[in-house]
Amino acid sequence: MTNPNIFTVSRLNSEVRLLLENEMGIVWLIGEISNFSAPVSGHWYLTLKDSRAQVKCAMFRGNNRNVSFKPKNGNQVLVKARLSLYEPRGDYQLIIESMQPEGDGRLQQEFEKLKMNLAAEGLFSQSSKQDLPEHPKRVGIITSKTGAALYDILDVLKRRDPSLPVVIYPTMVQGEEASIQIAQAIGRANERDECDVLIVGRGGGSLEDLWCFNNEIVARTIAASQIPIISAVGHEVDVTIADFVADMRAPTPSAAAELVSRDNSNKEQAFAAKKARLNSAIRHFLLKQGKHTQLLTHRLERNHPSYQLQKQSQQLDDLDTRLRQSINKFIKIRSQDIERKHHQLQLHSPIKRLGEQKLHLQRSEQKLLDAMDRSLLTTRHQLAMAAEKLETVSPLATLKRGYSISHSKSGTTISSIKNVEVGEVIKTQVEDGIIESKVIDIN
């Protein structure tokens, strides 16, 4: 038998939702928009915040059609909403029924003020910007050592130009101390002067997350840098003061890595084209499915209570987000697998093996030459010793001491008076020549 005092998670969330909706009713709220998203379903999801707290919000398509402006991150707004609970995740949220502009957000106002001041000083002028080196010899990266931006940059560099040296200057890229650390990292890179281009940035986020790149200290440090700087902050839609001051702005950290590297493989270009076609096909499929979902939603609106429609639509947006994330993860994994196989193919390339065999042949040839030199040296030494021994018994040495050798007309060596006759012509060899003489007498 089930104990009625023991709740399941589903029952608990349902009871809490009813309690919030029935007890609180309608509330009016002023806050600053952040993390705004508008998926293909037509619903809006956002966070309202002030200096000390924040709350998640949803505004469904039937209500947001009456909003007279397009909400953006940083907008200060006045909303009419009812308190509720998103049961699948247990998140307490506001269901917004109406929204009115309450002026730009505080951060957005500070952004525009600093932008105008720096522009008036000429820090955004094109004439003050440095040209990027055509073929960088070493690239410096100023970002968080644990952030996704660093790994995205390194992945692109490894794929496009693996021989390009990289120096990482780790720093915080979010929070109150981040601006000082970023400026110090830029200064340290200039002092060490070991790179000829710097990439400064991080991944995407809200205006508040990216605020350290809107700091005046960072802007002036970038402007004063003697090394060309590429600003790679957030996604393509994110714009910061650093983008205006830097010598070059890249829409993403990966794009910055492509700017400073050379593509060493046509296969990668072909893969990128296939990836783009796949993304296009996926977007077309999702758009088609989104339209189909909208049609089903219209039918449900005529047959179901409003709350059920809203809850199912929000779940659909959750699934859509997870599907996109899964697709991107799958594409990334496949890309990494292709890169690994390409690397293995390069490792087993016959060109590399031919180079190794050529080097082995050169080494063997050098060893043979060395052995021949040693053998020749030994033979020369032995020849010199033999010549020295021969010199000691040579008759030429005897001739040098004043002795001579006589030969008869027939060429026989004369060693006795018996070998010659009176009147015979003989030849006598001395050190420097031969003397012919005639025997007159024999004693």
Side-chain angles (χ1 to χ4, degrees):
M1 182 175 179
T2 304
N3 188 337
N5 294 323
I6 299 177
F7 284 75
T8 63
V9 175
S10 300
R11 180 188 167 197
L12 175 64
N13 284 352
S14 178
E15 294 288 344
V16 173
R17 178 184 62 80
L18 293 174
L19 182 64
L20 289 173
E21 292 178 350
N22 294 333
E23 293 296 327
M24 291 295 295
I26 298 296
V27 296
W28 291 86
L29 190 70
I30 292 178
E32 181 182 320
I33 294 178
S34 67
N35 301 320
F36 178 83
S37 66
V40 293
S41 63
H43 309 314
W44 292 349
Y45 301 99
L46 57 123
T47 300
L48 284 179
K49 64 181 181 180
D50 57 22
S51 59
R52 293 183 296 177
Q54 61 182 16
V55 60
K56 292 183 177 180
C57 307
M59 191 172 191
F60 298 108
R61 184 178 55 230
N63 292 323
N64 63 34
R65 289 174 180 170
N66 300 320
V67 178
S68 60
F69 67 101
K70 179 65 175 178
K72 298 179 181 178
N73 290 329
N75 289 158
Q76 199 83 7
V77 294
L78 172 65
V79 301
K80 175 186 176 183
R82 56 183 173 85
L83 206 58
S84 184
L85 184 90
Y86 182 50
E87 296 180 27
R89 286 201 306 264
D91 289 343
Y92 123 79
Q93 63 179 3
L94 288 177
I95 306 299
I96 299 176
E97 296 184 356
S98 68
M99 179 185 295
Q100 303 173 22
E102 186 65 19
D104 292 337
R106 175 182 56 81
L107 296 179
Q108 192 68 33
Q109 292 176 351
E110 293 180 12
F111 175 90
E112 294 297 334
K113 180 179 179 181
L114 179 59
K115 179 182 174 183
M116 291 179 61
N117 291 339
L118 296 180
E121 293 182 27
L123 266 68
F124 302 166
S125 173
Q126 192 64 34
S127 61
S128 64
K129 299 185 183 300
Q130 306 178 73
D131 294 332
L132 299 183
E134 185 176 356
H135 300 300
K137 297 180 181 178
R138 184 178 284 112
V139 176
I141 304 175
I142 298 176
T143 188
S144 171
K145 63 181 179 180
T146 58
L150 176 60
Y151 295 99
D152 290 343
I153 293 172
L154 294 178
D155 281 346
V156 172
L157 294 180
K158 179 181 178 181
R159 170 173 54 84
R160 289 175 59 88
D161 197 353
S163 63
L164 182 62
V166 174
V167 178
I168 300 172
Y169 304 92
T171 177
M172 294 175 59
V173 290
Q174 185 173 338
E176 296 180 357
E177 299 179 5
S179 299
I180 299 297
Q181 289 195 15
I182 293 170
Q184 290 174 343
I186 295 173
R188 185 163 60 254
N190 276 266
E191 289 175 0
R192 290 163 61 170
D193 195 25
E194 55 191 351
C195 302
D196 45 8
V197 65
L198 296 175
I199 298 175
V200 180
R202 54 154 287 167
S206 64
L207 180 62
E208 184 177 7
D209 295 335
L210 306 178
W211 190 249
C212 58
F213 294 93
N214 294 319
N215 187 281
E216 184 174 358
I217 294 176
V218 173
R220 295 191 182 279
T221 304
I222 291 176
S225 174
Q226 298 300 311
I227 303 174
I229 291 180
I230 300 175
S231 176
V233 181
H235 305 299
E236 187 168 0
V237 296
D238 298 322
V239 180
T240 65
I241 296 294
D243 295 333
F244 294 105
V245 182
D247 301 293
M248 177 70 71
R249 186 235 177 183
T252 62
S254 297
E258 293 181 356
L259 286 174
V260 300
S261 59
R262 292 174 289 180
D263 194 351
N264 294 328
S265 172
N266 292 329
K267 293 183 179 179
E268 295 298 330
Q269 295 176 355
F271 173 75
K274 292 181 180 179
K275 181 179 177 181
R277 289 197 296 270
L278 177 61
N279 285 333
S280 177
I282 291 172
R283 285 194 296 268
H284 177 73
F285 172 78
L286 291 176
L287 182 61
K288 183 178 178 181
Q289 292 300 312
K291 291 180 179 179
H292 181 64
T293 302
Q294 290 179 13
L295 179 62
L296 294 178
T297 303
H298 283 303
R299 294 178 182 175
L300 288 172
E301 286 177 347
R302 293 192 296 267
N303 299 289
H304 291 77
S306 175
Y307 170 74
Q308 292 296 325
L309 282 175
Q310 294 174 355
K311 182 174 70 173
Q312 292 176 10
S313 297
Q314 191 167 0
Q315 290 174 338
L316 177 63
D317 287 334
D318 268 355
L319 293 174
D320 179 70
T321 300
R322 289 164 58 187
L323 175 62
R324 292 174 183 272
Q325 292 173 346
S326 298
I327 291 173
N328 291 334
K329 183 178 179 180
F330 173 78
I331 292 175
K332 185 175 182 180
I333 291 174
R334 293 297 298 168
S335 299
Q336 292 174 346
D337 184 54
I338 290 175
E339 288 178 10
R340 284 195 297 268
K341 291 181 179 178
H342 179 68
H343 180 65
Q344 291 174 356
L345 182 61
Q346 289 181 331
L347 290 178
H348 296 86
S349 171
I351 296 177
K352 181 179 179 181
R353 296 182 62 185
L354 183 61
E356 292 175 350
Q357 292 296 325
K358 183 178 180 181
L359 181 61
H360 178 71
L361 179 61
Q362 291 174 347
R363 290 175 178 171
S364 299
E365 182 180 4
Q366 186 60 45
K367 289 181 179 178
L368 178 60
L369 292 174
D370 291 344
M372 290 174 63
D373 288 342
R374 288 194 299 270
S375 177
L376 183 59
L377 182 62
T378 301
T379 303
R380 286 177 177 174
H381 180 68
Q382 292 174 348
L383 179 61
M385 292 180 64
E388 185 178 350
K389 291 180 180 179
L390 183 61
E391 180 70 19
T392 59
V393 297
S394 171
L396 297 178
T398 304
L399 295 177
K400 287 181 180 180
R401 294 195 298 271
Y403 293 93
S404 63
I405 302 174
S406 296
H407 299 275
S408 65
K409 188 175 183 180
S410 62
T412 304
T413 302
I414 300 173
S415 59
S416 171
I417 60 175
K418 296 178 181 180
N419 298 131
V420 295
E421 297 177 357
V422 175
E424 183 179 354
V425 177
I426 63 174
K427 295 181 179 180
T428 302
Q429 182 177 350
V430 294
E431 178 186 4
D432 55 353
I434 296 175
I435 301 171
E436 288 189 1
S437 57
K438 187 175 181 180
V439 180
I440 300 175
D441 191 14
I442 297 175
N443 295 318

